[in-house]
Amino acid sequence: RKEVEQDPGPFNVPEGATVAFNCTYSNSASQSFFWYRQDCRKEPKLLMSVYSSGNEDGRFTAQLNRASQYISLLIRDSKLSDSATYLCVVDYDKIIFGKGTRLHILP
Amino acid sequence: ETGVTQSPTHLIKTRGQQVTLRCSSQSGHNTVSWYQQALGQGPQFIFQYYREEENGRGNFPPRFSGLQFPNYSSELNVNALELDDSALYLCASSLAWGGDEQFFGPGTRLTVL
């Protein structure tokens, strides 16, 4: 099993739709969890940290399920500017990035 | 506040050569991590430096080595370059190791011919 696995993409969704990304991790000792966003030919940037209680930032909601070793990201009312690759990141004694899921928002 | 910078932007080398990539961390950050990102893949963790000492390493051979300097800037050295080393090399700095947001530089695109 890969250390961090994400939904294979790309996701092509119409503007205004809700889209959900899933991510699973193999190491139960993992302590910190993040979602990063990477635009084409740019560096990754932190979108949000993921807490056990779940957290929300505007249109974005992140959830963590430690028992199932699963992280999710929900984007509501998607905008054209949300088009990017979304990277799931897990941190224990080293930092592991998923392969990323590419999202295309269609006008 | 100055962000993370990397040099050079692009580099072309041939198999067997050695390369040094440089990174200046964001002001106030004492931790630097290096990543290799192949096309279509997520960044792969190479290693991390905290206050000039290696603080964690990914699954990369010993020909990948690094340094961190007293001002927290860092170098990544790769010896005996192979074709598969062609990738984007990203440096990220953070306030501390373990669970902190990482701020990435724009990367160095290395091509090995």
Side-chain angles (χ1 to χ4, degrees):
Chain A
R1 183 179 176 184
K2 288 185 182 175
E3 290 179 287
V4 177
E5 282 200 79
Q6 294 189 237
D7 289 330
F11 282 27
N12 298 305
V13 302
E15 195 174 5
T18 295
V19 60
F21 299 130
N22 299 314
C23 172
T24 57
Y25 61 95
S26 61
N27 190 324
S28 59
S30 300
Q31 295 295 317
S32 304
F33 309 89
F34 307 90
W35 284 100
Y36 277 73
R37 169 192 170 132
Q38 186 171 25
D39 293 295
C40 190
R41 299 188 178 277
K42 296 283 191 180
E43 69 274 18
K45 291 186 179 177
L46 180 68
L47 178 65
M48 55 199 308
S49 302
V50 187
Y51 304 118
S52 296
S53 55
N55 47 306
E56 188 173 312
D57 183 3
R59 300 181 292 110
F60 298 84
T61 301
Q63 298 278 351
L64 167 63
N65 184 322
R66 284 189 184 272
S68 301
Q69 294 179 204
Y70 169 94
I71 307 158
S72 65
L73 176 68
L74 186 75
I75 305 176
R76 290 181 299 279
D77 186 26
S78 53
K79 312 289 184 193
L80 294 175
S81 57
D82 294 334
S83 296
T85 296
Y86 289 82
L87 297 157
C88 171
V89 181
V90 173
D91 189 349
Y92 46 101
D93 63 346
K94 55 182 181 176
I95 304 152
I96 308 296
F97 277 75
K99 191 176 175 179
T101 303
R102 185 172 290 182
L103 173 65
H104 297 293
I105 303 298
L106 307 171
Chain B
E1 187 178 78
T2 307
V4 179
T5 60
Q6 291 186 244
S7 62
T9 307
H10 296 86
L11 201 52
I12 298 175
K13 291 284 190 178
T14 56
R15 267 190 311 177
Q17 285 190 308
Q18 178 267 341
V19 69
T20 297
L21 309 182
R22 294 179 175 83
C23 171
S24 291
S25 58
Q26 187 161 311
S27 176
H29 289 185
N30 58 23
T31 303
V32 171
S33 303
W34 285 93
Y35 297 86
Q36 180 194 69
Q37 187 172 27
L39 204 59
Q41 302 292 318
Q44 297 288 307
F45 177 69
I46 303 175
F47 42 57
Q48 182 181 79
Y49 279 84
Y50 170 67
R51 294 192 174 186
E52 302 178 59
E53 298 216 354
E54 189 177 292
N55 185 47
R57 190 176 181 95
N59 298 324
F60 281 81
R63 59 189 186 85
F64 285 78
S65 63
L67 280 174
Q68 188 179 31
F69 300 100
N71 67 354
Y72 303 132
S73 66
S74 178
E75 284 182 356
L76 164 65
N77 298 292
V78 188
N79 293 323
L81 284 167
E82 300 176 0
L83 296 179
D84 284 349
D85 295 334
S86 295
L88 180 69
Y89 287 84
L90 292 161
C91 164
S93 74
S94 53
L95 273 172
W97 61 272
D100 262 27
E101 177 182 358
Q102 297 196 73
F103 294 82
F104 283 84
T108 295
R109 173 74 61 188
L110 173 65
T111 302
V112 182
L113 302 175

